[in-house]
Amino acid sequence: MVRDALKRALLTMRTVVVRLNSRMLDSPGTAADGFDRDQYPAPPADVRKNVPEQMFMSLIARILLLLAAPIAALFVARDALNFGVVQMVVATILFTAMVAAAAFWPRRRPR
């Protein structure tokens, strides 16, 4: 019963995301699916040009979460409700350690 409810919720969320994405990419006007694209216009050009930066930040976040998952699993079971919170805390600590290492890395001084 819970599994069916989760499947329906995920399908609904996926449908909404697909419709929102198609709404932003398609031309203005009323679509066959009943959504009015004039109500939700495409984002301005300055927002669209930041897509590579957003993809890069998403990649960094995914890599950090990928590294944090096995470390968090040492402390909390993966089935625990708070696993995502612990994983995020570990990812934040990893990010802080990376920034600290980059900030305090010894630099060669020109002679």
Side-chain angles (χ1 to χ4, degrees):
M1 182 171 157
V2 173
R3 181 178 284 180
D4 293 335
L6 286 174
K7 283 183 181 178
R8 276 184 269 137
L10 287 174
L11 182 62
T12 304
M13 289 189 320
R14 185 179 302 149
T15 305
V16 168
V17 168
V18 167
R19 288 181 178 174
L20 285 174
N21 285 340
S22 67
R23 187 179 304 150
M24 284 195 279
L25 296 175
D26 291 343
S27 62
T30 305
D33 57 5
F35 284 103
D36 185 15
R37 286 188 177 77
D38 292 332
Q39 184 179 0
Y40 301 99
D46 60 334
V47 173
R48 278 188 242 136
K49 73 178 181 182
N50 291 332
V51 171
E53 288 86 0
Q54 293 169 358
M55 289 174 53
F56 184 70
M57 290 302 293
S58 174
L59 180 67
I60 290 173
R62 286 176 186 251
I63 290 171
L64 283 172
L65 288 173
L66 183 71
L67 293 174
I71 298 170
L74 293 173
F75 301 104
V76 179
R78 289 184 189 257
D79 296 338
L81 293 176
N82 61 346
F83 179 76
V85 175
V86 174
Q87 182 184 12
M88 187 54 117
V89 168
V90 172
T92 305
I93 292 170
L94 287 173
F95 179 74
T96 306
M98 286 179 15
V99 169
F104 296 114
W105 193 266
R107 297 182 182 140
R108 292 186 183 182
R109 296 178 189 219
R111 293 182 183 199

